[in-house]
mmCIF file of all heavy atoms in Angstrom:
data_model
loop_
_atom_site.group_PDB
_atom_site.id
_atom_site.type_symbol
_atom_site.label_atom_id
_atom_site.label_comp_id
_atom_site.label_asym_id
_atom_site.label_seq_id
_atom_site.Cartn_x
_atom_site.Cartn_y
_atom_site.Cartn_z
ATOM 1 N N PHE A 1 154.499 98.621 58.969
ATOM 2 C CA PHE A 1 154.681 99.739 58.042
ATOM 3 C C PHE A 1 154.456 101.066 58.768
ATOM 4 O O PHE A 1 155.243 102.005 58.627
ATOM 5 C CB PHE A 1 153.725 99.614 56.847
ATOM 6 C CG PHE A 1 153.778 100.813 55.968
ATOM 7 C CD1 PHE A 1 154.782 100.953 55.036
ATOM 8 C CD2 PHE A 1 152.847 101.831 56.105
ATOM 9 C CE1 PHE A 1 154.854 102.083 54.239
ATOM 10 C CE2 PHE A 1 152.911 102.949 55.308
ATOM 11 C CZ PHE A 1 153.913 103.078 54.380
ATOM 12 N N THR A 2 153.385 101.136 59.542
ATOM 13 C CA THR A 2 153.057 102.371 60.252
ATOM 14 C C THR A 2 154.141 102.712 61.273
ATOM 15 O O THR A 2 154.548 103.874 61.399
ATOM 16 C CB THR A 2 151.680 102.249 60.939
ATOM 17 O OG1 THR A 2 150.703 101.922 59.937
ATOM 18 C CG2 THR A 2 151.283 103.528 61.634
ATOM 19 N N ILE A 3 154.650 101.708 61.970
ATOM 20 C CA ILE A 3 155.710 101.936 62.955
ATOM 21 C C ILE A 3 156.980 102.445 62.262
ATOM 22 O O ILE A 3 157.640 103.359 62.760
ATOM 23 C CB ILE A 3 155.996 100.655 63.768
ATOM 24 C CG1 ILE A 3 154.771 100.254 64.596
ATOM 25 C CG2 ILE A 3 157.240 100.812 64.630
ATOM 26 C CD1 ILE A 3 154.212 101.338 65.507
ATOM 27 N N ARG A 4 157.309 101.868 61.110
ATOM 28 C CA ARG A 4 158.485 102.371 60.363
ATOM 29 C C ARG A 4 158.270 103.827 59.958
ATOM 30 O O ARG A 4 159.195 104.643 60.051
ATOM 31 C CB ARG A 4 158.758 101.506 59.134
ATOM 32 C CG ARG A 4 159.464 100.212 59.444
ATOM 33 C CD ARG A 4 159.990 99.502 58.204
ATOM 34 N NE ARG A 4 158.990 99.279 57.175
ATOM 35 C CZ ARG A 4 158.190 98.214 57.098
ATOM 36 N NH1 ARG A 4 158.263 97.269 58.020
ATOM 37 N NH2 ARG A 4 157.331 98.092 56.109
ATOM 38 N N ALA A 5 157.059 104.165 59.523
ATOM 39 C CA ALA A 5 156.776 105.548 59.128
ATOM 40 C C ALA A 5 156.897 106.488 60.323
ATOM 41 O O ALA A 5 157.473 107.577 60.216
ATOM 42 C CB ALA A 5 155.382 105.638 58.494
ATOM 43 N N VAL A 6 156.374 106.085 61.473
ATOM 44 C CA VAL A 6 156.487 106.911 62.686
ATOM 45 C C VAL A 6 157.955 107.104 63.036
ATOM 46 O O VAL A 6 158.409 108.223 63.293
ATOM 47 C CB VAL A 6 155.736 106.272 63.882
ATOM 48 C CG1 VAL A 6 156.080 106.990 65.189
ATOM 49 C CG2 VAL A 6 154.234 106.283 63.657
ATOM 50 N N THR A 7 158.713 106.015 63.044
ATOM 51 C CA THR A 7 160.128 106.084 63.423
ATOM 52 C C THR A 7 160.890 107.014 62.496
ATOM 53 O O THR A 7 161.681 107.854 62.958
ATOM 54 C CB THR A 7 160.745 104.668 63.419
ATOM 55 O OG1 THR A 7 160.026 103.854 64.359
ATOM 56 C CG2 THR A 7 162.216 104.707 63.799
ATOM 57 N N ARG A 8 160.675 106.889 61.196
ATOM 58 C CA ARG A 8 161.371 107.765 60.243
ATOM 59 C C ARG A 8 161.013 109.219 60.460
ATOM 60 O O ARG A 8 161.875 110.098 60.408
ATOM 61 C CB ARG A 8 161.035 107.343 58.820
ATOM 62 C CG ARG A 8 161.704 106.053 58.426
ATOM 63 C CD ARG A 8 161.321 105.665 57.023
ATOM 64 N NE ARG A 8 161.957 104.424 56.661
ATOM 65 C CZ ARG A 8 161.329 103.418 56.073
ATOM 66 N NH1 ARG A 8 160.070 103.517 55.762
ATOM 67 N NH2 ARG A 8 161.988 102.318 55.787
ATOM 68 N N ARG A 9 159.751 109.481 60.713
ATOM 69 C CA ARG A 9 159.330 110.865 60.928
ATOM 70 C C ARG A 9 159.903 111.415 62.231
ATOM 71 O O ARG A 9 160.304 112.568 62.289
ATOM 72 C CB ARG A 9 157.814 110.966 60.931
ATOM 73 C CG ARG A 9 157.239 110.893 59.545
ATOM 74 C CD ARG A 9 155.763 111.127 59.581
ATOM 75 N NE ARG A 9 155.237 111.162 58.230
ATOM 76 C CZ ARG A 9 154.183 111.849 57.880
ATOM 77 N NH1 ARG A 9 153.530 112.568 58.762
ATOM 78 N NH2 ARG A 9 153.757 111.825 56.634
ATOM 79 N N VAL A 10 159.909 110.611 63.274
ATOM 80 C CA VAL A 10 160.478 111.051 64.555
ATOM 81 C C VAL A 10 161.949 111.396 64.360
ATOM 82 O O VAL A 10 162.411 112.452 64.800
ATOM 83 C CB VAL A 10 160.292 109.976 65.652
ATOM 84 C CG1 VAL A 10 161.218 110.218 66.838
ATOM 85 C CG2 VAL A 10 158.836 109.929 66.111
ATOM 86 N N GLU A 11 162.691 110.517 63.715
ATOM 87 C CA GLU A 11 164.128 110.758 63.521
ATOM 88 C C GLU A 11 164.372 111.984 62.647
ATOM 89 O O GLU A 11 165.250 112.809 62.958
ATOM 90 C CB GLU A 11 164.782 109.521 62.916
ATOM 91 C CG GLU A 11 164.828 108.361 63.875
ATOM 92 C CD GLU A 11 165.368 107.082 63.263
ATOM 93 O OE1 GLU A 11 165.101 106.803 62.072
ATOM 94 O OE2 GLU A 11 166.067 106.347 63.995
ATOM 95 N N ALA A 12 163.594 112.150 61.586
ATOM 96 C CA ALA A 12 163.775 113.315 60.712
ATOM 97 C C ALA A 12 163.409 114.603 61.436
ATOM 98 O O ALA A 12 164.119 115.610 61.332
ATOM 99 C CB ALA A 12 162.934 113.155 59.442
ATOM 100 N N LEU A 13 162.319 114.575 62.200
ATOM 101 C CA LEU A 13 161.907 115.760 62.949
ATOM 102 C C LEU A 13 162.918 116.085 64.043
ATOM 103 O O LEU A 13 163.272 117.247 64.246
ATOM 104 C CB LEU A 13 160.508 115.550 63.543
ATOM 105 C CG LEU A 13 159.918 116.720 64.302
ATOM 106 C CD1 LEU A 13 159.841 117.973 63.425
ATOM 107 C CD2 LEU A 13 158.533 116.349 64.833
ATOM 108 N N ARG A 14 163.400 115.070 64.728
ATOM 109 C CA ARG A 14 164.425 115.267 65.759
ATOM 110 C C ARG A 14 165.647 115.951 65.162
ATOM 111 O O ARG A 14 166.116 116.970 65.663
ATOM 112 C CB ARG A 14 164.814 113.910 66.350
ATOM 113 C CG ARG A 14 166.025 113.960 67.276
ATOM 114 C CD ARG A 14 166.615 112.606 67.522
ATOM 115 N NE ARG A 14 167.164 112.041 66.293
ATOM 116 C CZ ARG A 14 167.485 110.766 66.137
ATOM 117 N NH1 ARG A 14 167.305 109.903 67.105
ATOM 118 N NH2 ARG A 14 167.993 110.344 64.996
ATOM 119 N N ASP A 15 166.168 115.391 64.071
ATOM 120 C CA ASP A 15 167.385 115.923 63.468
ATOM 121 C C ASP A 15 167.181 117.337 62.935
ATOM 122 O O ASP A 15 168.025 118.216 63.144
ATOM 123 C CB ASP A 15 167.869 114.990 62.357
ATOM 124 C CG ASP A 15 168.261 113.619 62.887
ATOM 125 O OD1 ASP A 15 168.420 113.455 64.109
ATOM 126 O OD2 ASP A 15 168.389 112.695 62.053
ATOM 127 N N GLY A 16 166.044 117.576 62.283
ATOM 128 C CA GLY A 16 165.760 118.904 61.739
ATOM 129 C C GLY A 16 165.574 119.952 62.818
ATOM 130 O O GLY A 16 166.053 121.088 62.693
ATOM 131 N N THR A 17 164.897 119.581 63.883
ATOM 132 C CA THR A 17 164.650 120.521 64.977
ATOM 133 C C THR A 17 165.950 120.849 65.713
ATOM 134 O O THR A 17 166.212 122.017 66.030
ATOM 135 C CB THR A 17 163.606 119.955 65.955
ATOM 136 O OG1 THR A 17 162.413 119.624 65.230
ATOM 137 C CG2 THR A 17 163.266 120.956 67.036
ATOM 138 N N ILE A 18 166.751 119.853 65.965
ATOM 139 C CA ILE A 18 168.046 120.093 66.627
ATOM 140 C C ILE A 18 168.916 120.992 65.752
ATOM 141 O O ILE A 18 169.575 121.909 66.247
ATOM 142 C CB ILE A 18 168.739 118.754 66.973
ATOM 143 C CG1 ILE A 18 167.982 118.079 68.126
ATOM 144 C CG2 ILE A 18 170.208 118.965 67.320
ATOM 145 C CD1 ILE A 18 168.445 116.677 68.451
ATOM 146 N N GLU A 19 168.886 120.753 64.452
ATOM 147 C CA GLU A 19 169.653 121.597 63.533
ATOM 148 C C GLU A 19 169.143 123.040 63.571
ATOM 149 O O GLU A 19 169.940 123.988 63.609
ATOM 150 C CB GLU A 19 169.534 121.027 62.115
ATOM 151 C CG GLU A 19 170.321 121.786 61.076
ATOM 152 C CD GLU A 19 170.142 121.168 59.699
ATOM 153 O OE1 GLU A 19 170.517 119.997 59.525
ATOM 154 O OE2 GLU A 19 169.622 121.871 58.807
ATOM 155 N N ALA A 20 167.832 123.233 63.561
ATOM 156 C CA ALA A 20 167.260 124.585 63.611
ATOM 157 C C ALA A 20 167.624 125.275 64.922
ATOM 158 O O ALA A 20 167.967 126.466 64.932
ATOM 159 C CB ALA A 20 165.745 124.530 63.434
ATOM 160 N N LEU A 21 167.582 124.548 66.019
ATOM 161 C CA LEU A 21 167.941 125.135 67.313
ATOM 162 C C LEU A 21 169.423 125.481 67.360
ATOM 163 O O LEU A 21 169.806 126.509 67.930
ATOM 164 C CB LEU A 21 167.561 124.192 68.454
ATOM 165 C CG LEU A 21 166.057 124.034 68.695
ATOM 166 C CD1 LEU A 21 165.788 122.901 69.669
ATOM 167 C CD2 LEU A 21 165.447 125.348 69.195
ATOM 168 N N ALA A 22 170.266 124.644 66.773
ATOM 169 C CA ALA A 22 171.708 124.928 66.727
ATOM 170 C C ALA A 22 171.986 126.189 65.921
ATOM 171 O O ALA A 22 172.923 126.929 66.219
ATOM 172 C CB ALA A 22 172.462 123.741 66.138
ATOM 173 N N ALA A 23 171.143 126.438 64.911
ATOM 174 C CA ALA A 23 171.273 127.648 64.093
ATOM 175 C C ALA A 23 170.558 128.834 64.744
ATOM 176 O O ALA A 23 170.456 129.904 64.141
ATOM 177 C CB ALA A 23 170.709 127.399 62.697
ATOM 178 N N GLU A 24 170.056 128.615 65.959
ATOM 179 C CA GLU A 24 169.327 129.637 66.724
ATOM 180 C C GLU A 24 168.099 130.143 65.982
ATOM 181 O O GLU A 24 167.719 131.305 66.092
ATOM 182 C CB GLU A 24 170.267 130.777 67.129
ATOM 183 C CG GLU A 24 171.381 130.295 68.044
ATOM 184 C CD GLU A 24 172.290 131.413 68.531
ATOM 185 O OE1 GLU A 24 171.950 132.600 68.362
ATOM 186 O OE2 GLU A 24 173.340 131.070 69.102
ATOM 187 N N ASP A 25 167.462 129.257 65.249
ATOM 188 C CA ASP A 25 166.228 129.589 64.543
ATOM 189 C C ASP A 25 165.055 128.960 65.293
ATOM 190 O O ASP A 25 164.481 127.955 64.870
ATOM 191 C CB ASP A 25 166.294 129.078 63.092
ATOM 192 C CG ASP A 25 165.185 129.633 62.229
ATOM 193 O OD1 ASP A 25 164.190 130.152 62.781
ATOM 194 O OD2 ASP A 25 165.299 129.517 60.988
ATOM 195 N N ASP A 26 164.711 129.572 66.429
ATOM 196 C CA ASP A 26 163.648 129.055 67.284
ATOM 197 C C ASP A 26 162.300 129.006 66.574
ATOM 198 O O ASP A 26 161.513 128.090 66.785
ATOM 199 C CB ASP A 26 163.523 129.893 68.562
ATOM 200 C CG ASP A 26 164.743 129.775 69.457
ATOM 201 O OD1 ASP A 26 165.641 128.962 69.146
ATOM 202 O OD2 ASP A 26 164.800 130.503 70.470
ATOM 203 N N THR A 27 162.041 129.998 65.742
ATOM 204 C CA THR A 27 160.765 130.050 65.025
ATOM 205 C C THR A 27 160.622 128.849 64.112
ATOM 206 O O THR A 27 159.579 128.188 64.088
ATOM 207 C CB THR A 27 160.654 131.366 64.215
ATOM 208 O OG1 THR A 27 160.779 132.466 65.119
ATOM 209 C CG2 THR A 27 159.328 131.448 63.484
ATOM 210 N N ARG A 28 161.671 128.558 63.358
ATOM 211 C CA ARG A 28 161.643 127.396 62.462
ATOM 212 C C ARG A 28 161.517 126.101 63.265
ATOM 213 O O ARG A 28 160.758 125.201 62.897
ATOM 214 C CB ARG A 28 162.906 127.356 61.598
ATOM 215 C CG ARG A 28 162.895 126.242 60.585
ATOM 216 C CD ARG A 28 164.061 126.395 59.584
ATOM 217 N NE ARG A 28 164.540 125.080 59.251
ATOM 218 C CZ ARG A 28 165.743 124.600 59.493
ATOM 219 N NH1 ARG A 28 166.659 125.356 60.061
ATOM 220 N NH2 ARG A 28 166.085 123.386 59.167
ATOM 221 N N ALA A 29 162.214 125.999 64.378
ATOM 222 C CA ALA A 29 162.146 124.803 65.217
ATOM 223 C C ALA A 29 160.724 124.586 65.720
ATOM 224 O O ALA A 29 160.196 123.468 65.653
ATOM 225 C CB ALA A 29 163.120 124.913 66.383
ATOM 226 N N ARG A 30 160.083 125.635 66.204
ATOM 227 C CA ARG A 30 158.708 125.517 66.701
ATOM 228 C C ARG A 30 157.742 125.112 65.581
ATOM 229 O O ARG A 30 156.861 124.277 65.791
ATOM 230 C CB ARG A 30 158.245 126.832 67.335
ATOM 231 C CG ARG A 30 158.883 127.101 68.653
ATOM 232 C CD ARG A 30 158.372 128.433 69.257
ATOM 233 N NE ARG A 30 159.226 128.831 70.340
ATOM 234 C CZ ARG A 30 159.284 128.247 71.520
ATOM 235 N NH1 ARG A 30 158.518 127.214 71.749
ATOM 236 N NH2 ARG A 30 160.099 128.672 72.455
ATOM 237 N N GLN A 31 157.926 125.703 64.425
ATOM 238 C CA GLN A 31 157.056 125.378 63.295
ATOM 239 C C GLN A 31 157.250 123.923 62.865
ATOM 240 O O GLN A 31 156.283 123.206 62.611
ATOM 241 C CB GLN A 31 157.327 126.311 62.116
ATOM 242 C CG GLN A 31 156.424 126.048 60.943
ATOM 243 C CD GLN A 31 156.680 127.007 59.787
ATOM 244 O OE1 GLN A 31 157.615 127.803 59.801
ATOM 245 N NE2 GLN A 31 155.837 126.913 58.777
ATOM 246 N N MET A 32 158.493 123.492 62.807
ATOM 247 C CA MET A 32 158.780 122.107 62.435
ATOM 248 C C MET A 32 158.125 121.137 63.414
ATOM 249 O O MET A 32 157.499 120.156 63.005
ATOM 250 C CB MET A 32 160.296 121.863 62.408
ATOM 251 C CG MET A 32 161.008 122.526 61.268
ATOM 252 S SD MET A 32 162.797 122.303 61.395
ATOM 253 C CE MET A 32 162.913 120.549 61.053
ATOM 254 N N VAL A 33 158.276 121.405 64.701
ATOM 255 C CA VAL A 33 157.709 120.520 65.715
ATOM 256 C C VAL A 33 156.188 120.508 65.617
ATOM 257 O O VAL A 33 155.561 119.446 65.618
ATOM 258 C CB VAL A 33 158.186 120.921 67.129
ATOM 259 C CG1 VAL A 33 157.371 120.222 68.208
ATOM 260 C CG2 VAL A 33 159.667 120.611 67.287
ATOM 261 N N SER A 34 155.595 121.679 65.498
ATOM 262 C CA SER A 34 154.140 121.758 65.411
ATOM 263 C C SER A 34 153.601 120.975 64.221
ATOM 264 O O SER A 34 152.687 120.162 64.358
ATOM 265 C CB SER A 34 153.721 123.230 65.320
ATOM 266 O OG SER A 34 152.330 123.318 65.128
ATOM 267 N N GLU A 35 154.171 121.214 63.066
ATOM 268 C CA GLU A 35 153.708 120.536 61.853
ATOM 269 C C GLU A 35 154.065 119.055 61.859
ATOM 270 O O GLU A 35 153.264 118.208 61.491
ATOM 271 C CB GLU A 35 154.279 121.230 60.621
ATOM 272 C CG GLU A 35 153.712 122.621 60.406
ATOM 273 C CD GLU A 35 154.420 123.389 59.299
ATOM 274 O OE1 GLU A 35 155.314 122.822 58.626
ATOM 275 O OE2 GLU A 35 154.076 124.575 59.103
ATOM 276 N N GLY A 36 155.275 118.736 62.283
ATOM 277 C CA GLY A 36 155.734 117.353 62.260
ATOM 278 C C GLY A 36 155.003 116.467 63.243
ATOM 279 O O GLY A 36 154.670 115.315 62.935
ATOM 280 N N LEU A 37 154.740 116.989 64.432
ATOM 281 C CA LEU A 37 154.072 116.169 65.443
ATOM 282 C C LEU A 37 152.628 115.873 65.078
ATOM 283 O O LEU A 37 152.104 114.819 65.439
ATOM 284 C CB LEU A 37 154.152 116.825 66.814
ATOM 285 C CG LEU A 37 155.501 116.723 67.499
ATOM 286 C CD1 LEU A 37 155.479 117.419 68.853
ATOM 287 C CD2 LEU A 37 155.947 115.279 67.653
ATOM 288 N N SER A 38 151.999 116.756 64.342
ATOM 289 C CA SER A 38 150.629 116.494 63.915
ATOM 290 C C SER A 38 150.556 115.200 63.109
ATOM 291 O O SER A 38 149.723 114.332 63.385
ATOM 292 C CB SER A 38 150.111 117.677 63.086
ATOM 293 O OG SER A 38 148.832 117.374 62.578
ATOM 294 N N GLY A 39 151.433 115.054 62.141
ATOM 295 C CA GLY A 39 151.456 113.837 61.334
ATOM 296 C C GLY A 39 151.856 112.610 62.138
ATOM 297 O O GLY A 39 151.320 111.516 61.943
ATOM 298 N N ILE A 40 152.782 112.797 63.067
ATOM 299 C CA ILE A 40 153.218 111.671 63.910
ATOM 300 C C ILE A 40 152.070 111.216 64.811
ATOM 301 O O ILE A 40 151.825 110.017 64.946
ATOM 302 C CB ILE A 40 154.474 112.050 64.721
ATOM 303 C CG1 ILE A 40 155.675 112.189 63.778
ATOM 304 C CG2 ILE A 40 154.751 111.021 65.811
ATOM 305 C CD1 ILE A 40 156.909 112.813 64.418
ATOM 306 N N HIS A 41 151.351 112.159 65.387
ATOM 307 C CA HIS A 41 150.204 111.798 66.224
ATOM 308 C C HIS A 41 149.157 111.046 65.404
ATOM 309 O O HIS A 41 148.558 110.080 65.893
ATOM 310 C CB HIS A 41 149.589 113.032 66.881
ATOM 311 C CG HIS A 41 150.381 113.572 68.020
ATOM 312 N ND1 HIS A 41 150.623 112.872 69.182
ATOM 313 C CD2 HIS A 41 150.987 114.777 68.183
ATOM 314 C CE1 HIS A 41 151.343 113.606 70.004
ATOM 315 N NE2 HIS A 41 151.580 114.764 69.424
ATOM 316 N N ASP A 42 148.930 111.490 64.174
ATOM 317 C CA ASP A 42 147.982 110.792 63.304
ATOM 318 C C ASP A 42 148.429 109.351 63.070
ATOM 319 O O ASP A 42 147.617 108.423 63.137
ATOM 320 C CB ASP A 42 147.841 111.514 61.961
ATOM 321 C CG ASP A 42 147.049 112.811 62.063
ATOM 322 O OD1 ASP A 42 146.361 113.031 63.086
ATOM 323 O OD2 ASP A 42 147.115 113.609 61.107
ATOM 324 N N LEU A 43 149.703 109.163 62.786
ATOM 325 C CA LEU A 43 150.217 107.816 62.544
ATOM 326 C C LEU A 43 150.140 106.950 63.802
ATOM 327 O O LEU A 43 149.842 105.754 63.723
ATOM 328 C CB LEU A 43 151.658 107.872 62.027
ATOM 329 C CG LEU A 43 151.810 108.338 60.580
ATOM 330 C CD1 LEU A 43 153.281 108.594 60.266
ATOM 331 C CD2 LEU A 43 151.220 107.331 59.625
ATOM 332 N N LEU A 44 150.393 107.527 64.951
ATOM 333 C CA LEU A 44 150.258 106.770 66.201
ATOM 334 C C LEU A 44 148.800 106.356 66.420
ATOM 335 O O LEU A 44 148.529 105.265 66.930
ATOM 336 C CB LEU A 44 150.779 107.579 67.388
ATOM 337 C CG LEU A 44 152.295 107.710 67.458
ATOM 338 C CD1 LEU A 44 152.705 108.731 68.535
ATOM 339 C CD2 LEU A 44 152.954 106.361 67.712
ATOM 340 N N GLY A 45 147.872 107.215 65.997
ATOM 341 C CA GLY A 45 146.455 106.856 66.062
ATOM 342 C C GLY A 45 146.137 105.683 65.141
ATOM 343 O O GLY A 45 145.360 104.793 65.493
ATOM 344 N N VAL A 46 146.757 105.668 63.969
ATOM 345 C CA VAL A 46 146.578 104.552 63.040
ATOM 346 C C VAL A 46 147.140 103.277 63.667
ATOM 347 O O VAL A 46 146.493 102.226 63.651
ATOM 348 C CB VAL A 46 147.247 104.851 61.677
ATOM 349 C CG1 VAL A 46 147.303 103.606 60.811
ATOM 350 C CG2 VAL A 46 146.504 105.977 60.954
#
């Protein structure tokens, strides 16, 4: 279950960040990565 949650979050964060970068919204991309990776790191700890 935890691995599925990590995978889904990685894929969603990847897609969202790439989309933000394509729109040249670096600020949004950085914020997404910062916030998203925190939860992913927590799940990897679990």
Side-chain angles (χ1 to χ4, degrees):
F1 174 81
T2 303
I3 296 306
R4 281 192 307 272
V6 169
T7 300
R8 287 179 181 134
R9 284 185 175 209
V10 163
E11 291 175 324
L13 182 57
R14 171 196 65 195
D15 296 346
T17 305
I18 289 173
E19 182 181 298
L21 290 170
E24 298 183 12
D25 192 344
D26 294 354
T27 302
R28 184 170 144 243
R30 287 181 194 288
Q31 182 179 7
M32 289 175 70
V33 167
S34 175
E35 292 172 4
L37 284 180
S38 175
I40 290 169
H41 285 297
D42 287 345
L43 286 170
L44 287 170
V46 169

